[in-house]
Amino acid sequence: MTFDTHRSATGPVAGPLSTYRLQITAGFDLDAAANIVGYIRDLGADWVYLSPLLKAEAGSDHGYDVVDHSLVDPARGGADALDRLAAAAHQAGRGILVDIVPNHVGVATPAHNAWWWDLLQNGEQSRYAEAFDVDWAFGHGKIRIPVLGDPESGDDEGGTARGALDRLELVDGELHYFDNRFPLAAGTADDGASPADVHDRQHYELVNWRRADAELNYRRFFAVNSLAGIRVEVPWVFDESHREILRWVRDGLVQGLRVDHPDGLADPAGYLDVLRRATTGTYVLVEKILEGREQLPTSWATAGTTGYDALADVDRVLVDPAGQNALDALEARLHGGDAPAWADLVYRNKRAVADGILRSEVLRISRLVQNDDHSVGDTADAMADLLAWFPVYRSYLPVGGDNLQAAARWSTAHRPDLQVEIDRLLPLLGDPGHPAAVRFQQTSGMVMAKGVEDCAYYRFSRLTSLNEVGADPDEFAVSVADFHDRQRTREAAFPRSMTSLSTHDTKRGEDARARIAVLAEMPAEWEAGFEQLRAGHPLADAPFENLLWQAIVGAWPASRERLAAYALKAAREAGTSTTWTQPNVDFEAALDELVTSAVQSGSTRELVTGLVTRVQHAGWSNSLSLKLMQLTMPGVPDVYQGSELWETSLVDPDNRRPIDYELRRELLTRIDSGWLPPIDESGAAKLLVTSRALRLRRDRPDSFTRYAPVPAFGAAAGHVVAFDRGGAITLATRLPIGLLTAGGWGDTTIAVAGRSYIDVLTQESFDGPILRVGDLLARYPVALLVAADDRTALPTPTGRHA
């Protein structure tokens, strides 16, 4: 079946008008996705956006640990189910966008990955040796596998060196270490040798798991030992790892691709060029995190990013800047009177990562530039400091060379003793063709992600709605004028880039963040309530307690199981009182008691529910404003699975829970029958906003062809965010508590063209050119206006293209 490209008044539209993201798992497979295509169509979403589909490690719920590039994962339904989903989607006029993973593969179970198994069996002589990024010289011709247990444990984990190797067994021509299975090189087990002696003859060396930090000799995804990097820049590696993906595109099953973690590739721009040629220009997005005002390289063959940059803008325009000083003061007090500056916290955490879990990567780069005058240790010290000061995820030399120079200036100012070594390294790290420069660029993003997203975000508790992937927690708020400027830039530079509010990687769901943002409007009340909660359940880690109680209030109501899982993960990621590798049993017991007290009947639960009641309605107002702005601003809006109702999930795996689509169908049917839902716990008001905005973008794409701020006038003008997209006018409320305190909208107005308008949310009519905001927002804190004399602008359930 041929998929019909959407058309606007100016011709074909390249790519989707909007997307709906689904996590495809064994529990929600491709056939389950096919069963909700009709709902996605009725919601108004244009394309179905799928998580990775290639065969992954058994039991994987995310799919980023691919073990076989030739197969659609049977656990997710297999190739036939993809055919059925594609047929259902195209029959409904929907396209399909699929997440692909070019940077790494899953190696947790070697026997499941034929490439990795062959590498372990044949070493440097393996056909796949070129596919993996292994420093054979450092491993003395062997690849190090960090699976052995600690010698001091005395339990079934075994020990290191010869003690652990005594636990090895030879079983059916394989080497086994408990549940771990490894291949044997030909002729290495034919003479009755002991398993330990057979191990010594292999092309791999099983080592203690703790040695991975400094002694691993294969590139990983971040610090995940079970995800091994592959060299997709090698032509045959690209061909074999993409053959099935390209078949999907060639056969018309898939219309677009989302590239996971391009920053891990040796040459992201080159990869995207090859992908463009192989797919004849298919719509491609990249999962790229931009720091601050960093811009995506315009030379890349991509429509844009997956939208974290948009998320940061929308979140911050709803934050009250007047709350910053009070929340800064609270943060300082919780840190003992001297809160660390965000930049200093980032540096320290990144340096700890470079010296810790990613030291093996730092040492590998250092070996590439070692000479007789400098030890690897001295070079690694300078290299780690440059990585820690590097201000963005990575450079793409020659693009981004200024960031390397900036890191060098900051490093030498901080550590003058490194000046000579850094001066020696700069020409090498700035040379696009030098192997050390390539690896430095691949590593800087790892250090940033592990040091900031997975550590600093859990240690900086000032206002945790700002601690989000792709965002800068140091930027407290964005003015309405700045927000407009950023959207004009987006429309001019990457108008087909994705926008998002929630993803499978966000630390907090969009509506949890919307509620937490309210605290900036009532910092004194939050401090008083927080201190009461803290007094009842002290953990002796005040900043973390602030972060945790904000999460509980933001996610409420939530089960004990969900909150306990989040609390434990957050505490171990923060690493201030307990860690993944050295759990603090007493602290974690106290943490568990805190969560129990929060959800069980009693004084603690009453305090929590009291705070939730205080912020809930303002949070819902923020949520509807967030959603409407994201769905109508420049870019291609994505709706993460289930987030058309309240999305108060916390970090994964909480944000990958099953979705109740029957409930959503029932609510959408009621809305389509004329019901205007109240703003309440059901979230149906958000479903109304989502469906009407998506349908309008689908039915009238020519109403979304520009970006112009709409001015507001009057006493409450500062509480309005309004913009005209070329026929569709968005109106959203900001700072709702301040608005209520000031007495409401009063005489506030917006100026529009002198014609009649219909709010597509409520179907109410209004006459321009001056519209009273209080009238427009009498029922909901948002409005979406179209000209009343163009009846075709009104969205329909299935759309004119269905």
Side-chain angles (χ1 to χ4, degrees), residues 53 242 743:
L53 300 181
H242 286 66

Side-chain angles (χ1 to χ4, degrees), residues 295-359:
Q295 181 178 288
L296 191 69
T298 54
S299 59
W300 281 14
T302 179
T305 73
T306 51
Y308 291 119
D309 42 325
L311 176 156
D313 292 345
V314 181
D315 274 1
R316 278 157 179 72
V317 78
L318 300 182
V319 172
D320 188 354
Q324 180 170 355
N325 288 340
L327 292 176
D328 279 344
L330 173 60
E331 180 80 351
R333 183 168 65 78
L334 297 180
H335 279 275
D338 186 20
W342 173 249
D344 292 338
L345 181 63
V346 167
Y347 167 76
R348 291 203 304 269
N349 287 341
K350 289 178 66 178
R351 182 64 208 239
V353 166
D355 290 336
I357 59 175
L358 290 177
R359 183 163 175 77

Side-chain angles (χ1 to χ4, degrees), residues 401-420:
D402 56 329
N403 290 314
L404 180 62
Q405 296 295 330
R409 289 194 301 272
W410 295 325
S411 181
T412 54
H414 179 69
R415 291 277 308 276
D417 57 304
L418 297 178
Q419 177 83 56
V420 172

Side-chain angles (χ1 to χ4, degrees), residues 83-432:
D83 290 345
R84 291 189 289 271
L85 170 58
H90 300 164
Q91 181 66 36
R94 310 301 96 185
I96 294 179
L97 176 73
V98 177
D99 198 341
I100 63 172
V101 191
N103 175 68
H104 54 268
V105 294
V107 297
T109 311
H112 293 172
N113 187 324
W115 290 22
W116 187 251
W117 187 265
D118 193 274
L119 179 77
L120 298 184
Q121 187 169 44
N122 297 300
E124 291 183 81
Q125 302 307 309
S126 168
R127 175 177 184 267
Y128 298 100
E130 188 180 24
F132 292 97
D133 201 348
V134 181
D135 186 347
W136 294 102
F138 181 63
H140 306 292
K142 296 176 181 283
I143 184 168
R144 290 176 177 158
I145 311 298
V147 297
L148 301 184
D150 291 334
E152 66 272 17
S153 64
D155 58 21
D156 286 343
E157 290 299 314
T160 62
R162 305 308 299 184
L165 297 180
D166 288 341
R167 307 277 186 161
L168 294 175
E169 296 180 298
L170 292 171
V171 181
D172 297 329
E174 297 174 352
L175 197 62
H176 288 199
Y177 178 71
F178 297 101
D179 292 334
N180 299 281
R181 299 165 47 205
F182 303 97
L184 299 179
T188 57
D190 298 337
D191 58 1
S194 70
D197 288 337
V198 169
H199 164 266
D200 292 344
R201 301 170 184 173
Q202 303 309 311
H203 297 289
Y204 54 85
E205 178 187 6
L206 305 183
V207 300
N208 179 263
W209 65 274
R210 296 183 188 275
R211 291 177 62 185
D213 288 358
E215 299 179 50
L216 213 62
N217 64 331
Y218 64 93
R219 181 171 61 88
R220 301 165 289 174
F221 171 75
F222 297 168
V224 183
N225 298 335
S226 59
L227 296 175
I230 59 172
R231 301 180 62 234
V232 75
E233 67 273 16
V234 176
W236 74 261
V237 176
F238 176 92
D239 292 343
E240 295 195 18
S241 61
H242 286 66
R243 185 169 293 135
E244 176 66 4
I245 294 167
L246 298 182
R247 181 187 72 80
W248 303 341
V249 175
R250 184 185 65 247
D251 291 355
L253 301 174
V254 167
Q255 286 66 53
L257 301 172
R258 178 263 201 196
V259 177
D260 180 66
H261 189 47
D263 281 350
L265 305 179
D267 180 13
Y271 168 81
L272 291 170
D273 284 339
V274 173
L275 187 64
R276 175 184 55 80
R277 290 192 294 270
T279 61
T280 62
T282 291
Y283 180 79
V284 169
L285 294 170
V286 291
E287 187 225 12
K288 167 64 187 165
I289 292 175
L290 302 169
E291 286 291 306
R293 295 299 91 204
E294 180 188 10
Q295 181 178 288
L296 191 69
T298 54
S299 59
W300 281 14
T302 179
T305 73
T306 51
Y308 291 119
D309 42 325
L311 176 156
D313 292 345
V314 181
D315 274 1
R316 278 157 179 72
V317 78
L318 300 182
V319 172
D320 188 354
Q324 180 170 355
N325 288 340
L327 292 176
D328 279 344
L330 173 60
E331 180 80 351
R333 183 168 65 78
L334 297 180
H335 279 275
D338 186 20
W342 173 249
D344 292 338
L345 181 63
V346 167
Y347 167 76
R348 291 203 304 269
N349 287 341
K350 289 178 66 178
R351 182 64 208 239
V353 166
D355 290 336
I357 59 175
L358 290 177
R359 183 163 175 77
S360 60
E361 297 295 334
V362 174
L363 291 173
R364 183 166 180 185
I365 306 170
S366 301
R367 291 193 295 272
L368 293 171
V369 294
Q370 184 183 7
N371 63 27
D372 294 338
D373 297 327
H374 300 82
S375 70
V376 170
D378 290 341
T379 300
D381 190 10
M383 197 74 69
D385 221 56
L386 286 172
L387 288 165
W389 284 112
F390 206 75
V392 296
Y393 271 70
R394 65 165 284 172
S395 57
Y396 310 93
L397 295 174
V399 176
D402 56 329
N403 290 314
L404 180 62
Q405 296 295 330
R409 289 194 301 272
W410 295 325
S411 181
T412 54
H414 179 69
R415 291 277 308 276
D417 57 304
L418 297 178
Q419 177 83 56
V420 172
E421 183 65 352
I422 286 177
D423 286 346
R424 182 181 77 88
L425 293 175
L426 280 181
L428 305 177
L429 297 179
D431 176 2

Side-chain angles (χ1 to χ4, degrees), residues 465-486:
S465 60
L466 306 179
N467 300 10
E468 195 47 82
V469 179
D472 179 4
D474 210 24
E475 182 177 57
F476 189 82
V478 168
S479 70
V480 175
D482 282 343
F483 176 82
H484 288 318
D485 286 343
R486 294 180 184 188

Side-chain angles (χ1 to χ4, degrees), residues 533-534 536-541 544-545 548-549 552 560 563-564 567-568 571 577-578 583-598 604:
L533 291 167
R534 186 181 171 213
H537 305 280
L539 294 177
D541 189 341
F544 178 76
E545 293 169 58
L548 178 59
W549 285 115
I552 291 172
R560 184 196 177 284
L563 293 178
L568 184 60
S577 295
T578 187
N584 180 329
V585 175
D586 292 338
F587 177 86
E588 292 184 0
L591 190 65
D592 194 66
E593 290 177 10
L594 181 155
V595 171
T596 299
S597 297
T604 300

